[in-house]
Amino acid sequence: MKHVQDTTTLNNGVKMPWLGFGVFKVKDGDEVVSAVKTAIEAGYRSIDTAKVYNNESGVAQGIRESGIAREDLFITTKVWNSDQGYESTLAAFEESMQRLELEYLDLYLIHWPVKGKYKDTWRALEKLYKEGRVRAIGVSNFQTHHLEDLLMDATIKPAVNQVELHPLLTQKELRDYCSTHEIQIEAWSPLGQGNLMEHPLLQDIAAKYGKKPAQVILRWDLQNGIVTIPKSVTPERIHANTELYDFELIAEEIEQINGLNENKRFGSDPDNFNF
């Protein structure tokens, strides 16, 4: 990986950038418009939003004002839990598309594995995919057992599984399962919601390369074959998070960072959420 726009090829042949820009908790209106424009100027081509973030309209405006051609961008959104089910997912998709002002979507994800609903939701995603409305479909926050259950009835395999993943939650077994089944792992909250910046090991490695701990973590993602979507609203940080291509971690450093795992979540547990 040599460049911010380098891509991985998903299991259906679609190319997805390794580095994307997340907009979780970025306020709709000026804040998200400005952040998206700054990210695109910095070289990002992948933008990750969701219905529940309530900023799809602002993302659309940021994209529009960036002046970048639609086909050069990779846009992801997600179906929220209360919209899950077959018909309701199809309706939610149309609403998201209106807010995003798009003719087609690059990636549509099931946001959480809502028990008793995610299989019907997946059937709706398969329909959208077969109709060419979405270039790739996938899931978010699915554990191995959710994927095994989904794959029993799915006619199309998820292209992506987006999960909380950072050095304190390395998700090794899930990553191995997804790798075996050609499902691309994508990290949300790759920086552990800012809780890793003071870690002595990460600070030491960062100092060696003249980098920041955040850049070391994102580089660790890339070298582990993990698509990553850091979020920030600060222009300096948005730019800094793209400066990952002028250094490379050595195998020993990758192992040291792998060793930080504590199976620690900062977000909700996919086996025990109530929203």
Side-chain angles (χ1 to χ4, degrees), residues 141-192:
N141 302 301
F142 274 49
Q143 308 270 55
T144 300
H145 68 92
H146 297 123
L147 290 167
E148 287 174 332
D149 183 45
L150 187 71
L151 288 171
M152 288 198 315
D153 297 301
T155 61
I156 297 164
K157 194 158 54 173
V160 171
N161 185 17
Q162 184 188 115
V163 295
E164 180 180 356
L165 196 158
H166 44 72
L168 296 182
L169 181 68
T170 58
Q171 300 268 29
K172 186 74 179 83
E173 288 172 12
L174 180 61
R175 279 160 53 198
D176 289 345
Y177 178 87
C178 287
S179 175
T180 303
H181 290 81
E182 298 181 305
I183 299 168
Q184 175 64 52
I185 279 273
E186 178 177 18
W188 65 256
S189 204
L191 305 176

Side-chain angles (χ1 to χ4, degrees), residues 34-45 65-66 68 238-239:
S34 168
V36 167
K37 282 166 66 178
T38 301
I40 292 173
E41 279 162 28
Y44 293 88
R45 291 296 176 263
E65 292 181 11
S66 76
I68 294 287
I238 292 173
H239 281 272

Side-chain angles (χ1 to χ4, degrees), residues 180-213:
T180 303
H181 290 81
E182 298 181 305
I183 299 168
Q184 175 64 52
I185 279 273
E186 178 177 18
W188 65 256
S189 204
L191 305 176
Q193 299 182 5
N195 289 292
L196 293 150
M197 300 308 127
E198 306 300 320
H199 197 286
L201 172 69
L202 296 169
Q203 288 192 328
D204 286 349
I205 296 173
K208 172 185 159 184
Y209 293 105
K211 291 289 177 181
K212 296 181 169 68

Side-chain angles (χ1 to χ4, degrees), residues 74-231:
F74 190 96
I75 312 299
T76 302
T77 193
K78 312 175 192 85
V79 55
W80 184 239
N81 302 350
S82 55
D83 291 323
Q84 286 202 37
Y86 184 76
E87 294 296 345
S88 43
T89 293
L90 295 175
F93 174 78
E94 297 302 343
E95 288 166 11
S96 278
M97 295 297 276
Q98 282 180 342
R99 287 187 294 268
L100 286 164
E101 301 172 29
L102 297 178
E103 295 293 317
Y104 67 91
L105 189 66
D106 296 285
L107 179 63
Y108 200 36
L109 303 178
I110 299 181
H111 209 147
W112 288 86
V114 176
K115 216 170 180 170
K117 290 206 166 171
Y118 63 74
K119 287 197 176 190
D120 284 333
T121 305
W122 188 251
R123 280 197 304 119
L125 265 60
E126 290 185 335
K127 178 184 193 312
L128 293 166
Y129 177 75
K130 287 172 183 163
E131 289 173 351
R133 304 292 307 280
V134 187
R135 296 175 66 224
I137 52 176
V139 295
S140 184
N141 302 301
F142 274 49
Q143 308 270 55
T144 300
H145 68 92
H146 297 123
L147 290 167
E148 287 174 332
D149 183 45
L150 187 71
L151 288 171
M152 288 198 315
D153 297 301
T155 61
I156 297 164
K157 194 158 54 173
V160 171
N161 185 17
Q162 184 188 115
V163 295
E164 180 180 356
L165 196 158
H166 44 72
L168 296 182
L169 181 68
T170 58
Q171 300 268 29
K172 186 74 179 83
E173 288 172 12
L174 180 61
R175 279 160 53 198
D176 289 345
Y177 178 87
C178 287
S179 175
T180 303
H181 290 81
E182 298 181 305
I183 299 168
Q184 175 64 52
I185 279 273
E186 178 177 18
W188 65 256
S189 204
L191 305 176
Q193 299 182 5
N195 289 292
L196 293 150
M197 300 308 127
E198 306 300 320
H199 197 286
L201 172 69
L202 296 169
Q203 288 192 328
D204 286 349
I205 296 173
K208 172 185 159 184
Y209 293 105
K211 291 289 177 181
K212 296 181 169 68
Q215 293 164 320
V216 169
I217 294 170
L218 296 173
R219 183 72 217 179
W220 170 80
D221 281 334
L222 298 178
Q223 287 183 229
N224 271 315
I226 298 162
V227 167
T228 188
I229 48 168
K231 68 148 279 223

